Amino acid sequence: MKIDPNWPALSSEEAKRLAAEGKANVSSSSASKSVKQIWLSNLFTFYNMLNIVLAVLVITTGSYRNMMFLGIVISNFLIGTIQELRAKKTVDNLSVLTAPTARVIRDGEEKILPCKELVLGDVVLIGAGDQITADGTVLSGEARLNESLITGESDAVLKSSGDNLFSGSFVISGEVAVLLTAVGAESYAERLTLEAKKLKTAKSVLKTAMMNIIKTVTVFIVPMGVLTFYNHYISQGLSYVDSMIPTVAAMVGMIPDGLYLLTSMSFAVGVVRLAQKRTLTQQLYSLESLARADVLCLDKTGTITSGNMKIKGTVSFDGDDIGALAAEIYSAVPADNATARAIVSAFGSRNPIEKPAENILPFSSALKYVAADFGEEGCYMLGAPEFVTGGSFPEVLEKAAEYSGDGTRVLALCKGIFDGKLYKAEKPLGFILIEDEIRPNVSETFEYFRKNDVSIKVISGDNPAAVSAIAKKAGVIGAENYIDASALSDEELSSAAEKTVVFGRVSPEQKRVIIKALQKSGHTVAMTGDGVNDVLALKDADCSVAMASGAQAASHAAQLVLLDSDFSAMPEVVLEGRRVINNIQRAASIFLMKTMYTFALTATLLFVPFAYPFAPIQMTLIGAVASGIPGVLLALEPNFKRVQKHFLSTVLKRAIIAAATVFIGIMAVLIINENLDAAVRLSIEEVSTICTVYTGAASLMTLLTTCLPLNKFKAAIVIGSTVVFSAAISLFEELFMLVPLSEFGRIILLALLPLTLIQLIIRDIQLRKEKDYASKRNKSSGIRAF
């Protein structure tokens, strides 16, 4: 669009003054946490506050060494905060690369500036694919907008001179010059930033499971602590110190503090690792959604193909200069997409029509054609043959099908009429043939998804036969199974979503229909896109991925952004998601084991006359050596196996077996000792020592079974944890409130230790079953295990 000297554009000095007055387009809110919020959210958690209260209670007993559990609390706080700050810094640095920019008129010239540098009264140029980040009034031009974020309606709205624009909408087609009338907090810019990024939060099975666990623990932990103290102090008549120390120990054991750290740290590390691979994560749990996805929907242009359109040739029915006429249309209508730019580049120097257009119709994904009315010189329409001709010229459609059979994109040029409202084709003039190169390595990417049971759905606005041919060349299995979505109702399209692979002539609204139909069938759906026509579907998908080179609206709507716009990077993103989920799932059972056996033991001891056999410092030792430190290290290990369904049930099965082993062993010690003659009965200190050593051994066995099958890294973790625990109970007996065992005490301990092998036996059986299942599955599907 040419600059009009009559536009009330600002000078740089005026813009600087307005910015100093607070009239800049600066958001007062953010879609991500601030540094202060990160520190506070990690510090003031329920469990941190509970641990501080417990520490105060320990202080009242004078047993200061039992406050060692605060060391784990502080470590959790620092590690979690540092990792989150590191992730924030990385994401913020990458966000600069995808931050929205605007074309603004300053000092009479067009300049590209970040949207946050716009000020009240600026004149900006807005075209197809741009998001509107401040309110304004149209000065010149016409554009069709999607205002679904504001009105909830996805129908395109035509805006022309004098109309108001609101941030939160985006341009589908056309170009306008806009005078900004409200910026920053006075406009819808706040809504744009937050809704475009947070309108749909990534679904997380893992987050839901974790929250359920934490809520359950939270409900019971304080009442259990109160009852434990009452049982020791009132029912058993023990002293305040002898009642408070085991009460604190029980509550420390029930807190799954390491579980929260493990989850937040794993995702933070995943975000940083993806950033190093040029992938911006805009929603933390989107990694999980993509790793769990079993259907991947994608557009053809910009994903399978590079989006670099090239003119292959023209076909004229009656000798007309098809290329020149097509270029003439785009001399009147802004060339706001790759197809238009390719036509202008190839034929733009020819100008058979000198008269300016009296009326134009910019391209839109819904209409799929562009038109211009030059009055006496004629009216011309260019676009998808089915839509331009309106189905009135079947012979033209037959010819178009012949050219599109090899994947060539065919545009039909027709001469028509404009009655003041609608365009109608009267005479087909010819075709423009366009080709788009297939991206390198895309076949390997599709093969990866095939081997990992992820179905591919190609959803495109182009001719279904042409899309099918390109998809087949790219290696999409079942690409020959295609349909023309323009001929189907929403109900018919929903029914076809499951069995169809390639969808052609799909409107933006139909993309949403396909996504929702697949989700309704129980699929976890990921969607990739780069255009304005993909925005609505990106918001509906379980995980959305945008190409940074595409429309700004698509990047803002997506949960993940590929900064290099390279579809072949998708497997690495999936693998990182798998690493995060699998490691959390693996290590979670270690943390939950401690919580479960502590709950079971505490609840049982409320009804029997036994004292709780642990001190807080002993629980701290077991938790740190057998779960805390190993859990953090395991979260960093590569783990690219397919993500298992039923996260919570899988974790609980492993944790229950381990917790049962500990619970049975401890109860056996307490019952045996209670029934011994007074002469040989063990002291409370000896019972505590046996329980500590046995629980530590059982926890280390849980660590071992969790790490199976072993590699060098996991073996080092298991051996290192065992050595540290052994050294602690041997060299620091007094610190950890342990005492030498009598001969009978050693006999009881040695008799109990074989119980820990039950975990190993059960885990070995599970691994054998998993191996047999994988072998049978791969034989039946004809693929190798990944």
Side-chain angles (χ1 to χ4, degrees):
M1 179 177 287
K2 295 181 180 179
I3 298 175
D4 187 336
N6 294 319
W7 290 342
L10 301 174
S11 66
S12 296
E13 288 300 318
E14 289 174 318
K16 186 176 181 180
R17 175 179 56 81
L18 288 167
E21 294 175 0
K23 297 179 181 179
N25 194 39
V26 178
S27 173
S28 61
S29 57
S30 173
S32 62
K33 290 181 181 179
S34 65
V35 172
K36 180 179 178 181
Q37 288 173 325
I38 290 174
W39 279 97
L40 293 179
S41 64
N42 279 279
L43 177 61
F44 293 105
T45 66
F46 171 78
Y47 292 120
N48 280 354
M49 295 301 98
L50 181 58
N51 275 306
I52 291 174
V53 171
L54 294 178
V56 172
L57 293 176
V58 171
I59 291 175
T60 63
T61 68
S63 182
Y64 302 118
R65 58 181 168 178
N66 277 305
M67 293 174 58
M68 189 177 286
F69 63 86
L70 282 180
I72 294 180
V73 175
I74 294 171
S75 298
N76 285 353
F77 164 68
L78 291 176
I79 293 173
T81 302
I82 291 170
Q83 285 292 354
E84 198 169 344
L85 288 172
R86 183 186 175 204
K88 173 182 170 56
K89 181 180 179 181
T90 303
V91 170
D92 286 350
N93 289 339
L94 288 184
S95 294
V96 173
L97 302 178
T98 59
T101 57
R103 293 180 293 152
V104 60
I105 309 302
R106 293 266 181 92
D107 302 316
E109 299 178 352
E110 180 180 324
K111 298 180 180 180
I112 306 296
L113 296 177
C115 287
K116 65 181 181 180
E117 294 184 15
L118 299 178
V119 297
L120 185 68
D122 260 329
V123 174
V124 297
L125 304 179
I126 304 173
D130 291 340
Q131 282 193 314
I132 298 172
T133 59
D135 301 347
T137 302
V138 177
L139 296 175
S140 178
E142 284 189 345
R144 280 176 166 75
L145 272 65
N146 183 299
E147 297 182 334
S148 59
L149 289 181
I150 301 172
T151 66
E153 299 292 333
S154 59
D155 294 336
V157 180
L158 180 64
K159 299 287 185 178
S160 57
S161 180
D163 291 335
N164 293 323
L165 306 185
F166 299 97
S167 60
S169 56
F170 54 88
V171 182
I172 299 173
S173 62
E175 186 178 28
V176 289
V178 179
L179 173 66
L180 300 187
T181 57
V183 296
E186 300 300 320
S187 73
Y188 281 93
E190 303 288 287
R191 183 171 181 173
L192 169 68
T193 303
L194 296 179
E195 288 200 25
K197 292 186 177 181
K198 290 188 173 181
L199 186 62
K200 182 172 181 65
T201 302
K203 294 180 180 178
S204 173
V205 175
L206 191 150
K207 182 180 180 181
T208 301
M210 291 296 185
M211 290 308 297
N212 287 338
I213 292 170
I214 291 173
K215 286 179 182 178
T216 302
V217 173
T218 302
V219 169
F220 289 102
I221 191 168
V222 175
M224 292 278 279
V226 172
L227 291 173
T228 298
F229 181 78
Y230 178 88
N231 180 50
H232 284 72
Y233 191 65
I234 303 297
S235 300
Q236 298 185 36
L238 299 178
S239 67
Y240 174 79
V241 173
D242 290 338
S243 299
M244 185 55 71
I245 293 298
T247 297
V248 172
M251 295 184 72
V252 168
M254 285 186 279
I255 297 175
D257 47 2
L259 197 59
Y260 179 81
L261 170 67
L262 172 71
T263 305
S264 59
M265 192 198 75
S266 296
F267 275 103
V269 170
V271 168
V272 173
R273 287 186 173 180
L274 284 181
Q276 293 170 347
K277 298 174 182 176
R278 303 280 295 166
T279 299
L280 173 63
T281 306
Q282 302 194 125
Q283 284 194 18
L284 198 62
Y285 287 93
S286 58
L287 289 177
E288 178 189 356
S289 302
L290 183 57
R292 292 186 186 277
D294 59 351
V295 176
L296 174 61
C297 297
L298 47 91
D299 194 5
K300 171 182 71 68
T301 305
T303 303
I304 297 179
T305 61
S306 64
N308 298 322
M309 304 291 184
K310 295 180 180 179
I311 303 300
K312 188 176 181 180
T314 61
V315 177
S316 177
F317 299 155
D318 296 317
D320 296 286
D321 191 340
I322 302 300
L325 290 172
E328 196 65 53
I329 293 176
Y330 281 112
S331 69
V333 181
D336 53 11
N337 57 58
T339 301
R341 288 189 287 270
I343 292 173
V344 171
S345 176
F347 308 113
S349 61
R350 309 178 199 174
N351 293 290
I353 302 175
E354 298 181 358
K355 184 179 178 180
E358 297 178 2
N359 187 275
I360 62 171
L361 177 67
F363 177 84
S364 73
S365 298
L367 295 175
K368 300 190 187 304
Y369 67 85
V370 61
D373 179 16
F374 296 95
E376 295 178 358
E377 297 294 333
C379 172
Y380 296 94
M381 305 165 64
L382 177 68
E386 305 95 312
F387 288 79
V388 172
T389 63
S392 300
F393 303 93
E395 68 279 3
V396 173
L397 300 183
E398 291 178 5
K399 289 182 180 179
E402 293 176 5
Y403 287 108
S404 63
D406 63 349
T408 299
R409 187 179 182 192
V410 180
L411 299 182
L413 177 68
C414 294
K415 194 166 186 178
I417 58 172
F418 177 63
D419 62 7
K421 292 183 178 180
L422 302 172
Y423 286 87
K424 182 179 180 181
E426 286 193 327
K427 180 183 178 182
L429 301 180
F431 297 140
I432 292 181
L433 308 179
I434 301 176
E435 61 181 354
D436 190 2
E437 62 182 359
I438 295 176
R439 286 182 179 272
N441 304 320
V442 72
S443 297
E444 289 83 352
T445 304
F446 286 135
E447 178 65 9
Y448 165 82
F449 285 115
R450 183 187 73 83
K451 289 178 178 178
N452 287 271
D453 298 331
V454 178
S455 301
I456 301 296
K457 305 285 184 181
V458 183
I459 305 175
S460 175
D462 291 343
N463 179 278
V467 178
S468 172
I470 290 178
K472 191 172 183 179
K473 289 180 182 178
V476 176
I477 302 298
E480 65 281 355
N481 182 10
Y482 65 87
I483 59 172
D484 185 340
S486 64
L488 302 178
S489 65
D490 286 353
E491 292 75 16
E492 291 171 329
L493 186 58
S494 295
S495 300
E498 184 76 34
K499 59 186 178 182
T500 306
V501 175
V502 174
F503 302 81
R505 297 301 183 212
V506 183
S507 69
E509 189 61 38
Q510 285 181 314
K511 290 187 178 185
R512 302 183 75 181
V513 172
I514 295 170
I515 297 291
K516 291 179 178 178
L518 291 168
Q519 291 171 330
K520 190 175 181 180
S521 298
H523 294 289
T524 301
V525 182
M527 168 79 186
T528 67
D530 66 346
V532 176
N533 60 331
D534 297 318
V535 170
L536 299 177
L538 287 170
K539 289 184 178 296
D540 285 338
D542 296 300
C543 180
S544 51
V545 184
M547 307 293 173
S549 61
Q552 288 184 1
S555 291
H556 275 277
Q559 297 160 358
L560 296 165
V561 180
L562 302 181
L563 297 179
D564 291 330
S565 302
D566 185 4
F567 178 65
S568 63
M570 285 286 287
E572 289 189 348
V573 181
V574 173
L575 291 177
E576 187 58 38
R578 286 184 173 186
R579 184 195 65 77
V580 170
I581 299 170
N582 287 331
N583 284 339
I584 291 176
Q585 182 166 281
R586 178 174 60 187
S589 58
I590 305 175
F591 291 102
L592 284 182
M593 166 205 177
K594 179 171 71 78
T595 298
M596 292 176 73
Y597 74 68
T598 306
F599 257 111
L601 184 62
T602 304
T604 302
L605 295 183
L606 293 176
F607 303 99
V608 293
F610 300 147
Y612 192 78
F614 294 105
I617 194 170
Q618 294 165 345
M619 297 302 296
T620 301
L621 171 64
I622 296 169
V625 175
S627 58
I629 297 173
V632 171
L633 295 175
L634 286 173
L636 304 176
E637 191 208 12
N639 189 341
F640 304 137
K641 296 187 298 182
R642 288 186 181 92
V643 174
Q644 296 180 5
K645 295 183 178 180
H646 314 299
F647 169 83
L648 188 56
S649 60
T650 301
V651 169
L652 289 179
K653 284 178 183 177
R654 295 180 183 177
I656 286 172
I657 295 171
T661 303
V662 175
F663 175 75
I664 292 171
I666 293 175
M667 289 305 299
V669 173
L670 297 177
I671 293 172
I672 291 172
N673 189 55
E674 183 66 20
N675 289 279
L676 291 176
D677 290 336
V680 293
R681 185 174 298 168
L682 304 178
S683 65
I684 294 177
E685 291 77 14
E686 280 189 276
V687 170
S688 181
T689 300
I690 293 174
C691 290
T692 301
V693 175
Y694 172 77
T695 302
S699 299
L700 290 170
M701 184 60 70
T702 303
L703 175 62
L704 172 61
T705 57
T706 300
C707 289
L708 293 177
L710 291 174
N711 56 27
K712 290 182 180 180
F713 180 73
K714 289 186 286 189
I717 291 176
V718 174
I719 294 172
S721 297
T722 304
V723 170
V724 171
F725 181 74
S726 301
I729 62 176
S730 301
L731 302 177
F732 303 98
E733 290 180 311
E734 183 176 352
L735 175 63
F736 293 107
M737 303 177 71
L738 305 175
V739 297
L741 295 178
S742 63
E743 182 177 353
F744 198 75
R746 289 194 295 269
I747 292 173
I748 293 177
L749 177 60
L750 292 175
L752 288 175
L753 287 177
L755 279 177
T756 62
L757 296 175
I758 293 175
Q759 297 182 65
L760 189 60
I761 295 170
I762 294 175
R763 183 59 180 151
D764 182 65
I765 294 172
Q766 290 176 340
L767 288 174
R768 290 177 186 274
K769 287 183 178 180
E770 290 174 7
K771 186 176 181 180
D772 290 342
Y773 173 77
S775 178
K776 291 177 181 178
R777 181 179 174 279
N778 291 334
K779 286 181 180 179
S780 62
S781 61
I783 62 174
R784 63 176 177 81
F786 183 82

